[in-house]
Amino acid sequence: MSSSTEQYSTLRPVTRHITTNDPTGTAQIHASTPGQWQRIGPHLAINTIYSTSTSPPSLTDNTDITTHEQAISSGTLGLAQPHGTVCSIVELGPGNTAPHMHRTQSLDYGVVVAGEVELLLDGGEKRVLGAGDVVVQRATMHAWRNPSETEWARMMFVLVGCEKLVVWGKEMGQDLGSKEKELTHISGSTS
């Protein structure tokens, strides 16, 4: 799936800034790049900010940056990394539910950055969240919905790969629902 710097929403554009250390150990900016958005349907866009393939990641000699760039260019990066992390921004258009009910094999930290988002769980529970609210999503079936009819919503996620979830003896694997094809390989920003 290809990505674009085109901003689909009416929200402020996203710029990613990556820091590093020069040979003397002094901090500096490695790269500042505009968001790389993947459109998934008319009112949903995902921007993969950064990923790591190990935990803890190696930052020596910018190993993590090289590994992230390789994961993006290979087209094999999914929503979650089994032994690492993925940081992404998701924008939901007015009235949009995305990406329908799904489960990732990860522990997710989701922060509402702009607008309102409704968390929907497969058991029927719902919560309306506003800017600053945080969801700790623990490999459960869920969906996100923008309840506004006029405003876009933005969330930032950090997905941390987790061990296989077992509930009452049954292994619960990843389930991306009706968006399996679109979400299996997510590309994003490169330096």
Side-chain angles (χ1 to χ4, degrees), residues 60-103:
T60 301
D61 296 327
N62 292 333
T63 300
D64 61 311
I65 294 172
T66 302
T67 302
H68 169 71
E69 290 172 350
Q70 289 171 346
I72 292 296
S73 65
S74 72
T76 59
L77 180 64
L79 285 178
Q81 282 279 59
H83 305 289
T85 64
V86 176
C87 178
S88 60
I89 294 180
V90 175
E91 292 188 343
L92 297 151
N96 189 46
T97 300
H100 308 290
M101 282 289 167
H102 66 286
R103 175 196 329 270

Side-chain angles (χ1 to χ4, degrees), residues 101 104 121 166:
M101 282 289 167
T104 54
L121 300 178
V166 177

